[in-house]
């Protein structure tokens, strides 16, 4: 069903959106609330008011505040992964540059505890749904590693996937250590890049 829309309370220009379009508009507005007001202010009622829709519309899309946070968590990560893949696909990177780019993107994301991804994750702390969506996002990161590293691989696809599972696991361990202040961000990036490149050196395509 199409719905009337106001992007913000002061905006009186209305247009109709598809259900998918409405959902994305609500997610974009939710992200804006977190950036401007903090995650504690994100409720379905406040989201509806900021998006210029009725409360039932917000509840119809997400059901609960936890459901909204889960979808937002997933949406932020998916957007980042796609942006990184697009950036890597736009250039012909060497093995060294590819490894460095992957390591830098992964570790820098973990180090930035002030961004909206960490804010949403903190708001989901203790949620039963978080563990499931976290595993889903890990699998998505494995897919990203496979896509980015495949041009440098001569392995069978199944073996490449297994190695990427290991690399993502290493990235998670380094990220956790970084958050415990066990290492500096620069040291974690260098170590992760070396692990990625070291793995690739065993199955690099020769020119």
């Amino acid at each position: 069903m199409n719905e009337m829309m106001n992007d913000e309370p002061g905006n009186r220009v209305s247009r109709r959106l598809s259900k998918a379009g409405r959902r994305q508009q609500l997610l974009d507005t939710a992200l804006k609330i977190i950036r401007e007001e903090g995650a504690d202010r994100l409720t379905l009622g406040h989201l509806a008011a900021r998006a210029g829709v009725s409360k039932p519309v917000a509840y119809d899309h997400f059901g609960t505040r936890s459901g909204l946070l889960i979808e937002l968590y997933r949406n932020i990560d998916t957007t980042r992964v796609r942006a990184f893949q697009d950036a890597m696909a736009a250039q012909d990177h060497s093995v060294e540059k590819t490894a460095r780019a992957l390591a830098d993107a992964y570790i820098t994301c973990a180090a930035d505890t002030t961004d909206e991804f960490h804010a949403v994750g903190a708001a989901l702390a203790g949620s039963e749904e978080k563990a499931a969506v976290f595993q889903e996002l890990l699998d998505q990161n494995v897919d990203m590693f496979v896509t980015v590293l495949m041009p440098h691989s001569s392995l069978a696809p199944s073996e490449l996937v297994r190695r990427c599972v290991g690399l993502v696991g290493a990235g998670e361990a380094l990220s956790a250590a970084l958050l415990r202040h066990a290492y500096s961000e620069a040291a974690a990036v260098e170590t992760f890049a070396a692990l990625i490149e070291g793995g690739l050196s065993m199955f690099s395509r020769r020119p």
Side-chain angles (χ1 to χ4, degrees):
M1 179 180 68
N2 290 333
E3 302 148 347
M4 297 301 289
M5 152 184 184
N6 289 319
D7 286 330
E8 294 291 341
N11 180 6
R12 298 307 175 204
V13 178
S14 297
R15 60 189 175 89
R16 293 188 178 277
L17 291 175
S18 66
K19 190 174 181 67
R22 171 66 66 209
R23 190 179 188 84
Q24 189 59 53
Q25 182 239 348
L26 289 170
L27 288 171
D28 291 343
T29 303
L31 188 58
K32 186 179 294 186
I33 290 171
I34 289 176
R35 288 171 175 167
E36 296 176 356
E37 305 177 53
D40 289 344
R41 286 282 291 148
L42 182 59
T43 65
L44 288 172
H46 187 47
L47 172 61
R50 284 288 303 262
V53 300
S54 65
K55 284 185 181 180
V57 170
Y59 278 91
D60 179 59
H61 280 277
F62 304 109
T64 64
R65 180 176 186 267
S66 184
L68 167 61
L69 289 169
I70 288 292
E71 286 304 310
L72 192 56
Y73 199 59
R74 181 183 288 118
N75 189 256
I76 293 170
D77 193 70
T78 298
T79 299
R80 286 179 170 178
V81 166
R82 286 175 179 167
F84 181 77
Q85 286 179 314
D86 289 345
M88 294 298 293
Q91 302 179 47
D92 184 17
H93 294 278
S94 65
V95 171
E96 294 80 8
K97 287 184 178 180
T98 298
R100 177 71 192 206
L102 273 171
D104 189 62
Y106 209 95
I107 299 299
T108 299
C109 178
D112 186 4
T113 57
T114 64
D115 72 353
E116 57 270 7
F117 186 73
H118 283 275
V120 175
L124 279 168
S127 166
E128 292 182 3
E129 298 98 326
K130 184 180 179 180
V133 77
F134 184 69
Q135 184 58 55
E136 176 188 321
L137 298 186
L138 282 180
D139 292 342
Q140 183 168 269
N141 283 324
V142 170
D143 290 342
M144 175 188 71
F145 271 60
V146 170
T147 299
V148 172
L149 297 179
M150 188 172 287
H152 306 284
S153 169
S154 59
L155 283 181
S158 60
E159 177 62 20
L160 177 60
V161 170
R162 285 193 293 272
R163 296 198 186 197
C164 288
V165 169
L167 288 173
V168 169
E172 285 299 303
L174 284 168
S175 297
L178 176 63
L179 294 177
R180 295 195 306 270
H181 307 291
Y183 312 110
S184 69
E185 182 178 343
V189 169
E190 289 297 331
T191 298
F192 196 24
L195 288 172
I196 296 170
E197 189 176 346
L200 284 172
S201 67
M202 293 184 290
F203 53 91
S204 295
R205 283 183 177 152
R206 301 298 181 185

